[in-house]
Structure formats: C-alpha cells, structure tokens
C-alpha cells in the first residue's frame, strides 16, 4: 500500500515567512497558521535563559529571530481577545518543550544524537513539506562532562606520545650521523675524539672562537679569488654541508685521532675534497685566532704562579726543549739530507717548545728541517728577543746557548772529557732533571694528538706548521694542570 503524503497548506495572508530558530524545529509561518512566533525578550537575564534552554550558545540574535509557540507550555501563552490579534507571552516565560525532551516539562534521560534522530522520525506531528523532511544535525548539543574529560585526557595522551616519538626520531637521526651531538653525553668519547677533558670544556672553548668563525675565510674561496683578483668573501656565502661546530669537530677528530681524509669523508658522509678543505680552513683559522692570543708571560706573572718545586731556581722564566715529528721520506736526495735527523734516524720536522714553570706553554716555534741542531733552532726560533738579563732559562744538555743570550742558563752538567762529576754537579743535575721532566710531559700531551704519532705525509707539508702550532696551543685549553699539586684555587 502506497504511503500517504502530506503537505502543509500555504497561508494566503502571509507576505513574509517567520521560522523557528530552535534546533530540530522546522516550523514556519508560511505553512502553519496555528503557531505563533515570538521574539527574544529584551531583559538580559530572561534572554540568557532562552539561549541556554534552546541550546544555542554563542547565538547571534537579531530582530527577525523567532521561537515558535509549541516550545512553551500553555500557561505561558496569553490567547488574544480579538480574532486577528497576536498571541502574547507571560512575563518571564521560558521555552521548555523541545524535541530532545519529548515536548515534556520533565526532561528525560539524555540520549545520543543518532538516537534522537531516530526518535524524531517516530514523533506524530503535522506532516512536513518535502524539502523540510531532511533533519539537521544537532550542532548545539552539549556533550556530557565525563565525555569531555575523557576526550581531553585522550588528546593529552596522544600529544605526549607524539612528542615522545618525535624525540625518538631525532635521537635516531643523531645516532646515525657522525657528529658532535652523538657523543655529547659521553665525556670519555669527547676526550678520545677531541682531547678536551669534558664536553663542557669543549663547548666553553667553542663559545670563545664561535664569534670569530663567522668571518672565517674558506680555502676554496681564497684560491678562486686569487685568480680573479677579487675581494675574498667570508664563509657566509659559501655552501656548507656541515654545521660550523661539526666542521670544528671534524678537524679535532683528524688532529686528535689521526683519521685519514678518506675515513673522515665516509664518517661525515661528505666528499673527500670537502674534508681536505675543511681541515685546511680550520687549521688556518685556529692558527690565526689562537696565535693572536699572547701566551708569553711577564716576569711578574711567572713569579705569581711559581711552584714550590722551583724555589731553588726562582728566576726561571721558561723551560725549553725540542721535539721531532716523523715525516715521509722525500724522493729527492737533497731534501732527504735536509730533513734527516741523526737523533731519530729518520726524516723529521723539528720544533721548539717553551713551558712556564707552572706547566703552561708560553712559546711555540715554527717547524724546521730535522737536521737542524738544538742551538741553531734556538737562535732561529725568535725566543732570544724575549729573554731579558734578569731572567733564567732551563734547558737540556744539547742547548749550548750561553753565548746567545744575556740571561742565566740552568743546564744539567756534563763530563766534558772529565772522568766524573763532582757531588754538587750530580745533585744539581738531578734537581734540574726532576724539573725538566715536566716539559717532556707537556710535549707528550701535544703528541697525544695522534696525527703526530704517524709518519706525516708530504702532501700536507703546506699546512703541517699550522696543524702543529694549533695542537701546541690547544694543550692550554684541553687539559687540566700538568701537576695536580700546582693547581691553585
């Protein structure tokens, strides 16, 4: 049997239509002459009750906004005395009859949205026009407090989970890359790869040089502009594949561990030529920055830090010794004769290091060919001009430099064709030897940079002097006191 269809009868006397603003109510003055449509009250408190009752929070009310009479109880409606007069509302009347409470004053237990939609189809009401049979969603329905709390809790849990996963992804990304951040939590690893005692020491040193690194001149740009005779630009315009601090870390790994450029290229995932440019660039940069710091100490500064062990030699300004670095044997016989050291029986580069009595490097010479004598290296190094008559130096037996300086020289006694030394000479030799051993320990710290433990290839001869000087100057920053007892509060 075909279902019977109903339509509202259109009012002929209605020039304009009024509609009810209550959710789920589709009443219109065009199709219903029985219902009356009422504007919102002027009183703010009563208007607020209306808005709350019809569940239209944050609702924009205009002069055309209406609520139909079927949402008011019969006691709130004042029937007109004349046939065509308007139906009125009692003062303070509030709509209480709605679809969601079954048009009953006693509101039943609240049901879900979809259940309300199903119940709405079962309500026996006046037939609606075809275009009004599609029910709107109840956007103004207020969720239960417990549901809101559960949703907020779930949202917070999901946010924490997302944050945790993002941190995990970041940690995995760092662990897969060979960079400083990967070893930041391990002071042992930092010391192995950089020779700095702790990560904190390393970062303190980085803060000292980081401002100057913005003006660093890249080797590749310097070479290119030399040909074009144009001003050299700084690193800010040069494309970098590593962060500056990771470039510094790469340089320190090369210096401290002695890894080859090919090995570093694999570890840092960059081209080998890029590794070569980074090493040369940072060697020149640190050579300039650290070399600009005055390390030679005045007599007053040395005396202020003089250890008790030097009480017998209180005027000692510097303790001097030489060190040699093994290098690759040149193919040229002439060059072989120049760099061959009879002391090491190998081709070497030779340099002079000066140490203040309290264990700080205060002088570093350039590297010379291994065949040069200690005395000749002493004269060519430039330290003579720093020594004054009131000072004293402490040297090894090979430094016969008394005729080169105007200051006093403390040197262990030697036989010089005598059968034996006197008792005083033996005691003095032992005393000086106990003090001179500290400069040898300081040189050992320099050579803890494993680059100098291997045979230095001739391919890096152009930058070996910068690398060696930087390694010597870094010793003052990387380590604690040479003798713990010399540390002062």
């Amino acid at each position: 049997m075909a279902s019977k269809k109903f339509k509202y009868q259109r009012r002929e006397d209605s020039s304009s239509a009024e509609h009810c603003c209550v959710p789920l109510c589709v009443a219109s003055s065009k199709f219903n002459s029985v219902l009356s449509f009422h504007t919102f009250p002027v009183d703010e408190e009563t208007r607020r009750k209306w808005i709350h009752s019809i569940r239209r929070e944050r609702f924009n009310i205009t002069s055309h906004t209406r609520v139909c009479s079927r949402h008011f109880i019969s006691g709130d409606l004042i029937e007109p005395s004349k046939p065509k007069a308007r139906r009125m509302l009692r003062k303070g009347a509030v709509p209480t009859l709605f679809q969601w409470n079954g048009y009953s004053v006693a509101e039943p237990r609240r049901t879900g949205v979809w259940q309300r939609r199903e119940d709405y189809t079962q309500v026996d009401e006046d037939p609606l026009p075809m275009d009004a049979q599609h029910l709107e969603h109840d956007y103004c329905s207020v969720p239960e407090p417990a549901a809101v709390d559960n949703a907020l809790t779930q949202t917070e849990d999901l946010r924490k989970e997302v944050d945790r996963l993002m941190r995990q992804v970041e940690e995995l990304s760092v662990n897969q890359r060979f960079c400083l951040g990967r070893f930041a939590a391990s002071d042992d690893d930092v010391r192995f790869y950089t020779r700095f005692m702790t990560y904190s020491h390393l970062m303190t040193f980085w803060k000292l040089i980081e401002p100057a690194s913005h003006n660093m001149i890249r080797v590749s740009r310097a070479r290119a502009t030399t040909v074009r005779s144009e001003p050299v630009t700084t690193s800010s315009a040069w494309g970098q594949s590593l962060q500056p601090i990771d470039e510094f870390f790469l340089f320190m790994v090369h210096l401290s561990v002695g890894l080859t450029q090919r090995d570093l290229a694999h570890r840092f995932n960059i081209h080998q030529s890029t590794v070569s440019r980074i090493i040369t660039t940072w060697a020149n940069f640190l050579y300039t920055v650290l070399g600009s710091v005055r390390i030679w100490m005045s007599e007053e500064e040395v005396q202020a830090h003089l250890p008790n062990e030097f009480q017998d030699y209180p005027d000692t300004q510097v303790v001097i010794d030489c060190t040699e670095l093994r290098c690759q044997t040149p193919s040229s016989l002439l060059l072989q004769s120049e760099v061959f050291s009879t002391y090491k029986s190998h081709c070497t580069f030779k340099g002079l290091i000066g140490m203040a009595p309290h264990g700080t490097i205060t002088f570093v010479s350039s590297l010379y060919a291994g065949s040069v004598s200690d005395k000749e290296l002493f004269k060519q190094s430039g330290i003579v001009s720093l020594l004054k008559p009131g000072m004293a130096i402490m040297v090894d037996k090979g430094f016969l430099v008394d005729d080169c300086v105007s200051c006093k020289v403390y040197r262990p006694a030697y036989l010089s064709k005598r059968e034996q030394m006197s008792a005083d000479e033996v005691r003095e030799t032992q005393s000086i030897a106990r003090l001179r051993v500290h400069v040898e320990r300081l040189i050992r710290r320099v050579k803890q940079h494993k680059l100098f433990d291997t045979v230095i290839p001739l391919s890096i001869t152009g930058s070996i002097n910068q690398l060696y000087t930087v390694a010597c100057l870094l010793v003052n920053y990387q380590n604690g006191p040479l003798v713990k007892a010399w540390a002062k509060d």
Side-chain angles (χ1 to χ4, degrees):
M1 180 178 179
S3 60
K4 188 176 180 180
K5 295 183 180 179
F6 296 91
K7 292 194 302 181
Y8 282 123
Q9 181 65 38
R10 185 180 182 90
R11 293 177 58 183
E12 298 180 355
D13 58 344
S14 177
S15 59
S16 61
E18 294 178 333
H19 303 275
C20 182
C21 68
V22 175
L24 300 180
C25 181
V26 293
S28 172
S29 61
K30 284 187 178 182
F31 302 99
N32 201 320
S33 60
V34 177
L35 297 178
S36 59
F37 294 82
H38 305 275
T39 59
F40 278 70
V42 178
D43 180 65
E44 292 293 336
E45 180 63 23
T46 307
R47 175 178 291 203
R48 185 187 63 79
K49 291 180 180 179
W50 278 41
I51 295 174
H52 178 75
S53 180
I54 67 175
R55 298 182 179 180
R56 295 296 293 268
E57 301 293 340
R58 299 183 181 87
F59 182 47
N60 184 24
I61 300 173
T62 67
S63 59
H64 302 288
T65 307
R66 300 287 192 274
V67 175
C68 68
S69 58
R70 67 175 174 177
H71 301 296
F72 297 90
I73 61 176
S74 58
D76 290 337
L77 299 173
I78 302 176
E79 297 296 335
S81 58
K82 297 180 180 181
K84 294 186 178 181
R86 293 177 58 85
R87 182 183 293 164
M88 306 296 290
L89 290 176
R90 295 187 183 276
K91 184 177 181 180
V94 177
T96 56
L97 307 177
F98 305 103
Q99 168 63 31
W100 52 82
N101 62 9
Y103 291 94
S104 173
V105 176
E107 184 174 351
R109 181 177 177 273
R110 186 182 179 88
T111 58
V113 175
W114 294 106
Q115 292 176 341
R116 293 199 300 273
R117 291 172 63 91
E118 294 174 358
D119 293 343
Y120 179 74
T121 59
Q122 301 173 4
V123 177
D124 187 14
E125 292 184 18
D126 293 337
L128 301 179
M130 293 301 295
D131 57 349
Q133 291 183 9
H134 182 270
L135 299 179
E136 298 179 357
H137 181 73
D138 187 3
Y139 291 100
C140 300
S141 61
V142 179
E144 296 291 340
V148 173
D149 293 340
N150 292 336
L152 292 176
T153 303
Q154 292 178 359
T155 302
E156 182 66 19
D157 292 341
L158 290 174
R159 187 187 64 79
K160 292 180 179 179
E161 180 68 13
V162 170
D163 292 342
R164 185 187 67 80
L165 292 175
M166 290 181 65
R167 288 194 301 269
Q168 185 176 355
V169 170
E170 185 176 355
E171 290 174 0
L172 291 174
S173 176
V174 171
N175 290 334
Q176 289 178 354
R177 293 187 293 114
F178 193 88
C179 60
L180 180 59
R182 178 176 175 179
F183 307 104
S186 174
D187 288 340
D188 290 337
D189 288 336
V190 170
R191 181 167 180 79
F192 175 77
Y193 284 111
T194 67
R195 306 310 308 164
F196 281 89
M197 291 184 64
T198 63
Y199 177 76
S200 177
H201 281 77
L202 175 61
M203 294 309 298
T204 301
F205 178 78
W206 170 251
K207 290 179 182 178
L208 294 176
I209 65 172
E210 192 270 338
S213 67
H214 299 296
N215 299 320
M216 182 190 302
I217 298 177
R218 298 283 171 175
V219 170
S220 57
R221 297 291 274 176
R223 290 174 180 170
T225 53
T226 300
V227 178
R228 297 193 301 267
S229 299
E230 296 176 358
V232 180
T233 56
T234 60
S235 61
S236 59
W238 189 71
Q240 302 178 38
S241 55
L242 293 178
Q243 295 294 325
I245 193 169
D246 286 328
E247 288 190 358
F248 171 64
F249 179 62
L250 182 150
F251 172 80
M252 293 305 303
V253 171
H254 175 66
L255 191 65
S256 304
V257 188
L259 298 182
T260 63
Q261 295 182 6
R262 185 170 183 176
D263 190 351
L264 291 171
H266 287 302
R267 289 174 184 264
F268 287 88
N269 195 28
I270 55 179
H271 197 273
Q272 185 173 339
S273 61
T274 305
V275 173
S276 177
R277 289 195 297 268
I278 291 174
I279 292 173
T280 306
T281 297
W282 278 89
N284 294 335
F285 169 70
L286 293 175
Y287 179 80
T288 302
V289 172
L290 299 181
S292 64
V293 179
R294 185 176 182 271
I295 61 174
W296 181 260
M297 303 178 67
S298 65
E299 296 178 75
E300 294 76 14
E301 291 172 330
V302 173
Q303 290 299 316
H305 298 85
L306 192 71
N308 295 330
E309 287 81 353
F310 280 83
Q311 289 180 352
D312 294 336
Y313 309 95
D315 53 351
T316 302
Q317 176 72 17
V318 63
V319 183
I320 296 172
D321 202 0
C322 286
T323 184
E324 297 186 59
L325 310 177
R326 292 164 62 94
C327 69
Q328 182 182 354
T329 303
S331 58
S332 169
L333 296 178
L334 178 60
L335 291 178
Q336 287 184 29
S337 63
E338 288 290 332
V339 297
F340 185 80
S341 170
T342 55
Y343 179 70
K344 294 290 186 180
S345 299
H346 199 280
C347 294
T348 63
F349 298 124
K350 193 172 185 179
L352 182 142
I353 292 179
M355 179 196 78
H358 63 281
T360 301
I361 291 181
T362 57
F363 184 83
V364 180
S365 75
S366 300
L367 291 175
Y368 293 83
S371 60
V372 68
S373 65
D374 292 346
K375 180 178 181 179
E376 185 64 24
L377 177 54
F378 178 85
K379 291 191 295 184
Q380 295 186 21
S381 65
I383 194 174
V384 176
S385 61
L386 301 174
L387 300 174
K388 300 177 181 179
M391 300 177 179
I393 62 174
M394 188 173 289
V395 297
D396 198 6
K397 296 178 180 179
F399 286 86
L400 305 177
V401 295
D402 301 72
D403 58 336
C404 303
V405 295
S406 57
C407 64
K408 190 174 182 179
V409 179
Y410 294 121
R411 182 178 52 248
Y414 51 92
L415 289 175
S416 184
K417 299 181 180 180
R418 295 178 298 169
E419 293 183 358
Q420 64 180 10
M421 294 184 291
S422 64
D424 291 339
E425 290 177 331
V426 171
R427 283 192 293 270
E428 184 180 10
T429 298
Q430 292 174 346
S431 177
I432 294 175
R434 281 195 298 269
L435 299 176
R436 279 199 67 264
V437 72
H438 296 304
V439 73
E440 296 177 2
R441 295 178 59 216
L442 191 65
I443 292 174
R444 192 179 308 123
R445 282 187 172 183
V446 175
K447 290 190 174 181
Q448 283 180 343
H449 296 93
K450 301 302 181 182
L451 178 64
F452 307 124
D453 259 1
T454 59
V455 177
I456 298 172
L458 296 178
S459 59
I460 65 171
T461 303
S463 59
I464 188 58
N465 195 65
Q466 290 90 328
L467 291 168
Y468 164 75
T469 304
V470 168
C472 292
L473 297 177
L474 281 174
V475 169
N476 289 339
Y477 300 91
Q478 293 170 320
N479 303 273
L482 194 61
V483 180
K484 291 184 179 180
W486 294 354
K488 294 187 178 181
D489 297 336

